[in-house]
C-alpha cells in the first residue's frame, strides 16, 4: 500500500547498545504527511532492552502524532495511520495475537495498542530493515 492511502505514515525503529544493566536504548521515528512533510526525531531512551526500545519509540511517535492532531483541534479518530517497523515481535504482538511472554513488555504493548486504537484506522506493517535504514539512516 502507498502512504497516500493514509493520512499519516510513521516509520520507527528502536534499538539498544551494550548489554545487561548498561543497555543504552535509542530510537528514531519520522511522521510523514500526505503533503510530504517529514522530520526525523531521535530519542535517547536511557536503560532499555532492544525490544523495550522498539516499543518506547513506537509509543513516543504515536503520542507525538496524537498531540499534533489534538493541538489542531481535531480528533485522532478522524485520521488513518500506517506504521512501518522492522520489528516482527512488535507487529506480531500488536496485530497477530502473539503472546507477550516478557513481563517488562506487557505495559508497553498495552500502551501502544491503546494509542493505535485512538485512530480511525491504524495499520502496523513489518518492512525490510533496508527500508528503515533508508528513511531513518540507521
Amino acid at each position: 500500500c502507498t502512504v497516500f492511502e493514509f493520512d499519516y505514515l510513521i516509520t520507527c525503529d528502536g534499538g539498544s547498545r551494550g548489554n545487561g544493566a548498561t543497555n543504552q536504548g535509542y530510537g528514531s521515528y519520522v511522521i510523514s504527511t500526505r503533503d510530504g512533510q517529514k522530520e526525523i526525531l531521535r530519542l535517547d531512551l536511557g536503560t532499555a532492552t532492544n525490544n523495550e526500545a522498539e516499543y518506547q519509540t513506537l509509543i513516543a511517535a504515536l503520542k507525538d502524532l496524537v498531540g499534533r492532531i489534538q493541538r489542531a483541534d481535531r480528533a485522532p479518530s478522524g485520521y488513518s495511520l500506517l506504521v512501518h517497523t522492522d520489528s516482527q515481535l512488535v507487529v506480531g504482538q500488536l496485530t497477530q495475537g502473539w503472546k507477550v511472554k516478557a513481563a517488562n513488555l506487557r505495559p508497553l504493548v498495552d500502551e501502544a495498542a491503546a494509542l493505535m486504537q485512538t485512530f480511525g484506522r491504524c495499520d502496523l506493517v513489518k518492512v525490510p530493515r533496508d527500508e528503515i535504514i533508508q528513511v531513518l539512516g540507521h
Side-chain angles (χ1 to χ4, degrees), residues 114-126:
L115 284 162
M116 287 170 58
Q117 289 170 1
T118 64
F119 291 90
R121 175 178 178 184
C122 182
D123 291 9
L124 186 62
V125 177
K126 182 185 181 307

Side-chain angles (χ1 to χ4, degrees), residues 12-29:
C12 61
D13 184 44
S16 184
R17 290 183 208 87
N19 52 30
T22 60
N23 276 0
Q24 283 303 302
Y26 64 89
S28 299
Y29 65 88

Side-chain angles (χ1 to χ4, degrees), residues 3-4 7 9 25-26 28 34-35 49 55 59 74 80 91 94 97 102 108 125 128:
V3 65
F4 300 106
D7 297 307
L9 167 66
Y26 64 89
S28 299
R34 282 181 191 234
D35 61 10
T49 66
Y55 273 108
I59 289 165
R74 307 246 189 254
S80 60
V91 172
L94 288 171
L108 298 172
V125 177

Side-chain angles (χ1 to χ4, degrees), residues 37-48:
Q37 290 184 328
K38 289 182 183 182
E39 176 188 2
I40 297 178
L41 292 127
R42 308 240 184 248
L43 307 172
D44 179 358
L45 302 170
T47 304

Side-chain angles (χ1 to χ4, degrees), residues 6 8 32 36 53 72 78 91 101 129 136:
F6 294 84
Y8 294 97
S32 305
V91 172
K101 296 176 184 166
R129 178 88 192 113
L136 297 175

